[in-house]
Each structure stands twice: as C-alpha cells, then as structure tokens.
Amino acid sequence: MTAIAPTTDPDIQLIDSHVHLNFDCYDDELDEVAQRWREAGIVQLVHSCVKPSEFEQLQAIADRFPEVFISVGLHPLDADDWTAEMAAEIRDKARSDQRTVAIGETGLDFFKADNEPIQREAFGTQIAIARELDLPLIIHCRNAAAAARDMLREAEGTRAVMHCWSGTAEETQWFVDLGFYISFSGIVTFKNAKTVKESAAIVPSDRLLVETDCPFLAPVPYRGKRNEPARVAHVAEYLAELRGISVADLARQTTANARSLFRRLALYSDSR
C-alpha cells in the first residue's frame, strides 16, 4: 500500500483522540500547528496527560484552543512516582474542569519497565477513579496485554480506549470483547507493521478511533519527523484504504465513536 495525501474535503471532519501538545518541541509554533489541524479538518482533539503535575499546562492549551479537551492520569512509565495522595489529586483535578473527558493515560508497560507491582497498583486505582467519575480510561499497554485484560475483566462496565494500539489480532479481540475502543496511530502506515495492520482490519467499525500520539510516531510520508494533529488525516486515509471503505465513511464513524466514548465531546460538537 502506498502513502496517499490526506483529504482536503471540507465536509470530512476528524477527531484526533490522543495528542501531547505541551511538549517543548511546539514552543512558539502552536498557533501555526493549530491552523494546520483546522485546515486538515480536525475539529476536536483529546490531549492526554502523562502525570497530574502537567494538568495545568493542558488547561492552558485548552483555554487557547476550544476544540482541545483534556485528561488526567499517570503514565505507567512514571509509576514509580505513584502515591496515595496522587490518587486524590487525579480525582480532584478531573472533577475541577468540565473539559476533562478521560482518566489517563494509564495502563501497563512491561517492555520498558520492570516495576510491575507499582504499575498494577497505579493502574488499578485509576480504573477505580474512572468508574467512580463515570469517565473512560485512556490505556497505554505494551507487552502487557494479558495482564491488562485480566485486571480489566474484574472491572466490568469500564469504558476505555486502547491507545496507539500495536497488539496482535488475538489481543485486539480480547479488548473488543470487553467493549473497548481501539485507536490506531501512524504506526499502521509503517511498511513492516504487519501485526498492526492485521488488528486494524478486524476492529468493528463502531469501535475504531484514530490518533497521532503527537509529537511521536509521524505517519508515512513524515516518518521520523515531529508529528502533529493535522497528520491524523494520513492515518484516516490509510485505514480507509486498508479496510476498503471511503475516507468520508471512516471519518464519520471514528468521529461518532470518539464522541460516544468521550461523552463530553458530543456536548460541544454542534459548533465545531
């Protein structure tokens, strides 16, 4: 499959379901980055949180760009920072701002870290907070699919997205069966990402999301460069071709899916 240019159809609207715009690589350029995402038809964005201490940065970005919504949580690779006090901080911050649409990103990462017990504690507590506040989870999961599945099975009714998903088709089905959404990033456009493509082909249409995970994982033809939200259009184009549907249909479905999962997006969608 060859790289294709993103659509410029003004009737096609997309939601980038996972961004990190508070990185210093965007310093002094964020207005231009926003102009490009608007021109590309990106109407709403979910700004994920790596640790609660950055929540105010996310709020400041959402103040500047009303199409940006936010989450709060602790990333599993920062789990060594976990404390009981942090749980209260996440809960309080989530309650403090109606633009908070999720808890996370949280989850498990056994690829880069070997502190499984504290990761499990932090993840389990954030699952409980999400259920208490009736918010979905944004889940990071790497080399830990079975462990994550087992923990989440014990929390029946939890809403969640497996973000930047790169698991096998079998693992994908585990989380689809739990009722979760599966989100794909620029990885799906990479030439050797066979497993990701196989998973992307089997996700039910009503469980599919698109994201950039910017500034990381720029899709082909920008691989290796700083990523940005406008390039979620490339992910959408690629997924549409992979799944044998029109870009318009994929955009319509993934936008509806994002608003179904992150329910507060739908409250602000009429003017976007």
Side-chain angles (χ1 to χ4, degrees):
M1 187 179 296
T2 57
I4 44 184
T7 181
T8 55
D9 186 336
D11 294 327
I12 292 178
Q13 298 184 343
L14 289 161
I15 292 176
D16 188 343
S17 66
H18 197 107
V19 302
H20 299 277
L21 299 171
N22 60 322
F23 280 56
D24 58 13
C25 61
Y26 296 115
D27 286 354
D28 304 320
E29 282 191 72
L30 208 46
D31 287 327
E32 291 81 2
V33 169
Q35 181 63 28
R36 287 192 289 271
W37 82 52
R38 289 165 176 166
E39 291 172 352
I42 316 308
V43 294
Q44 290 178 313
L45 308 88
V46 176
H47 197 311
S48 193
C49 182
V50 173
K51 55 182 66 178
S53 60
E54 69 177 11
F55 187 71
E56 286 72 20
Q57 288 181 298
L58 275 56
Q59 289 178 303
I61 291 170
D63 288 343
R64 288 175 63 184
F65 308 106
E67 62 266 49
V68 174
F69 294 78
I70 56 182
S71 70
V72 59
L74 183 73
H75 194 285
L77 293 179
D78 292 301
D80 284 337
D81 296 333
W82 180 256
T83 64
E85 291 75 20
M86 187 175 288
E89 182 182 7
I90 290 171
R91 184 183 294 105
D92 291 345
K93 288 181 183 297
R95 286 172 168 162
S96 73
D97 194 320
Q98 287 298 304
R99 296 171 296 185
T100 304
V101 297
I103 299 298
E105 66 187 277
T106 180
L108 300 172
D109 191 319
F110 300 160
F111 179 76
K112 288 187 175 181
D114 58 3
N115 54 350
E116 181 175 340
I118 192 66
Q119 284 195 43
R120 285 179 174 273
E121 180 182 344
F123 185 33
T125 302
Q126 289 176 90
I127 292 171
I129 292 170
R131 290 169 59 79
E132 175 189 345
L133 301 182
D134 193 24
L135 290 172
L137 289 161
I138 298 172
I139 298 176
H140 170 107
C141 182
R142 191 171 184 190
N143 284 27
R149 174 201 60 188
D150 292 346
M151 289 184 69
L152 289 157
R153 276 178 173 169
E154 300 300 315
E156 185 177 355
T158 301
R159 295 183 291 125
V161 56
M162 307 304 294
H163 117 83
C164 195
W165 183 241
S166 60
T168 67
E170 179 185 11
E171 292 166 347
T172 301
Q173 193 62 51
W174 293 348
F175 295 107
V176 168
D177 289 345
L178 286 172
F180 295 172
Y181 293 76
I182 313 293
S183 182
F184 293 94
S185 68
I187 294 174
V188 75
T189 72
F190 296 175
K191 181 179 179 180
N192 296 323
K194 179 181 177 181
T195 297
V196 180
K197 298 179 201 298
E198 290 172 349
S199 292
I202 68 165
V203 173
S205 61
D206 63 351
R207 294 291 165 177
L208 185 68
L209 296 179
V210 291
E211 65 172 270
T212 55
D213 198 19
C214 65
F216 312 108
L217 302 173
V220 174
Y222 300 100
R223 187 175 182 182
K225 299 180 181 180
R226 185 196 72 182
N227 204 3
E228 61 179 71
R231 292 174 183 164
V232 80
H234 288 271
V235 179
E237 289 271 3
Y238 195 93
L239 279 172
E241 185 176 2
L242 179 70
R243 292 167 66 89
I245 62 174
S246 71
V247 179
D249 284 346
L250 186 132
R252 189 179 306 110
Q253 185 68 67
T254 57
T255 295
N257 292 346
R259 289 172 177 163
S260 178
L261 175 64
F262 303 114
R263 292 172 179 170
R264 290 174 181 170
L265 296 186
L267 301 177
Y268 297 90
S269 63
D270 291 344
S271 60
R272 301 289 189 264

